[in-house]
Every structure is written in structure tokens, then in C-alpha cells.
């Protein structure tokens, strides 16, 4: 049984993330989506809110599940018996960063490889940062947030007012 971890901050999950998780689920027997803290960014949503949105988005994928983790990705992957991390890349800048992260994670957990999947061309411009900006200006999110997650996101935003 080959397990992969799809890590990310998912702040919030986008259609680009969902596409990546679906493609990972087609390659690996099991995919564990790990909602994490990115120490470089201040999150708009709590870990619990991000996890709820991810779970709502992936509920149709039978071999995918989601958890959250406030610790080290390599330790999470090892504890879940994963052989690979799967990340998406939209640009050369993404690649340079993920290449470095792949080396670090392999050092922390020998044997843990990273699979980088290129973003679909239609998703290259979509990011959580863009979604947060659209939320700020109350724009329609249907084209950039997975259908299952939009309802949860709307509820969370409503609870904030
Ligand atoms: O979606 P993102 O923001 O690109 O995801 C980045 C993330 C959360 C995967 C990365 O920041 C991460 O791995 N955080 C957990 C802490 C960790 O293991 N850091 C790398 C080794 S020091």
C-alpha cells in the first residue's frame, strides 16, 4: 500500500489544490491531506476551519482523508507510513522553493521522496492569496474554491460578522 501526504496551509483550499489531490489519489493507494502551519505566513483561517473546508472538498475521493498537524511535516509523513509527499508547482519560483523543501524533508526522513506535479494551465493563476483577496472584496468564489468547500467557507464568513 503506497501512501502519499499532500501537505499545505490550504488557507483556504482552492480548485488547484483539489486537482492536485485528485491526481495524487489516482497515482497512490492512499492520500493523506495534511493541513499545516506555514511559519512564513500568517493564516486568515484557523487550522480547524481550514481542515473543515478541506474535508468538505475531498469527500468524493474514496482514498483521500485529511488531518491537521502543527508540527513537522517529515514526522507526520513517517508516522503515517507515507513514501512520498506530493506538492503542486505553478512556476519556476514554486519549483525552486519546493526543491529546497524536498531536500530538507528527505534529510529529516530518509527515504521520503517528494513528487512535484505541474499545475494545470487553467489553474496557474489561482492561489489561496488570490482567494483571500476575493473574499476581502466579496467576489464570487465559485470558480476558484471547490464546490464542497464554498458552503463551509460562506458559513465561516457569516459567523465572523
Ligand atoms: O501551502 P504551503 O503554504 O505552500 O505549505 C507549506 C507547508 C505548510 C507544507 C510548509 O510550511 C511545512 O512543511 N510546514 C510544516 C513545518 C515543516 O515541516 N517545515 C519544513 C522543515 S523545517
Amino acid at each position: 500500500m503506497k501512501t502519499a501526504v499532500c501537505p499545505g496551509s490550504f488557507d483556504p483550499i482552492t480548485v488547484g489544490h483539489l486537482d492536485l489531490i485528485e491526481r495524487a489519489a489516482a497515482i497512490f493507494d492512499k492520500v493523506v491531506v495534511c493541513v499545516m502551519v506555514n511559519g512564513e505566513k500568517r493564516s486568515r483561517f484557523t487550522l480547524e476551519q481550514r481542515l473543515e473546508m478541506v474535508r468538505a472538498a475531498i469527500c468524493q475521493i474514496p482514498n483521500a482523508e485529511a488531518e491537521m498537524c502543527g508540527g513537522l511535516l517529515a514526522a507526520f509523513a513517517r508516522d503515517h507510513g507515507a513514501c512520498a509527499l506530493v506538492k503542486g508547482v505553478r512556476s519556476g519560483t514554486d519549483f525552486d522553493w519546493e526543491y529546497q523543501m524536498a531536500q530538507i524533508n528527505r534529510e529529516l526522513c530518509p527515504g521520503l521522496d517528494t513528487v512535484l506535479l505541474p499545475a494545470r494551465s487553467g489553474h496557474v493563476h489561482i492561489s489561496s492569496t488570490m482567494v483571500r483577496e476575493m473574499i476581502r472584496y466579496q467576489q464570487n468564489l465559485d470558480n476558484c474554491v471547490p464546490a464542497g468547500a464554498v458552503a463551509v467557507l460562506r458559513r465561516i464568513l457569516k459567523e465572523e460578522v
Side-chain angles (χ1 to χ4, degrees):
M1 169 111 141
K2 296 238 182 248
T3 300
V5 171
C6 276
S9 38
F10 304 104
D11 188 36
I13 187 168
T14 69
V15 291
H17 290 131
L18 181 59
D19 180 63
L20 180 80
I21 296 162
E22 284 171 342
R23 288 159 66 196
I27 297 171
F28 292 93
D29 300 308
K30 181 178 167 187
V31 170
V32 183
V33 182
C34 186
V35 181
M36 306 201 80
V37 174
N38 181 336
E40 303 293 312
K41 302 178 190 166
R42 192 158 167 256
S43 296
R44 165 72 174 78
F45 297 99
T46 65
L47 267 179
E48 289 78 9
Q49 289 170 332
R50 289 183 267 143
L51 177 63
E52 189 184 356
M53 288 187 268
V54 168
R55 284 192 169 145
I58 67 167
C59 65
Q60 311 287 1
I61 309 172
N63 58 335
E65 60 189 43
E67 290 182 33
M68 62 184 181
C69 170
L72 206 58
L73 172 56
F76 180 91
R78 191 194 49 229
D79 293 349
H80 287 74
C83 60
L85 305 173
V86 179
K87 287 283 284 186
V89 285
R90 290 165 302 182
S91 64
T93 310
D94 276 0
F95 179 83
D96 290 346
W97 176 252
E98 296 303 344
Y99 183 78
Q100 290 177 49
M101 295 308 288
Q103 309 310 320
I104 293 169
N105 285 317
R106 201 175 164 86
E107 262 177 43
L108 292 171
C109 180
L112 178 65
D113 224 324
T114 298
V115 175
L116 299 178
L117 295 180
R120 265 183 216 296
S121 57
H123 290 159
V124 166
H125 65 293
I126 295 176
S127 65
S128 296
T129 306
M130 188 197 89
V131 173
R132 292 195 300 272
E133 191 69 358
M134 292 174 75
I135 290 169
R136 183 191 297 266
Y137 293 101
Q138 292 157 21
Q139 295 302 296
N140 188 293
L141 304 171
D142 292 344
N143 291 331
C144 48
V145 175
V150 167
V152 177
L153 178 53
R154 286 204 186 106
R155 197 208 71 226
I156 290 169
L157 294 174
K158 216 168 159 186
E159 284 168 2
E160 286 180 354
V161 289

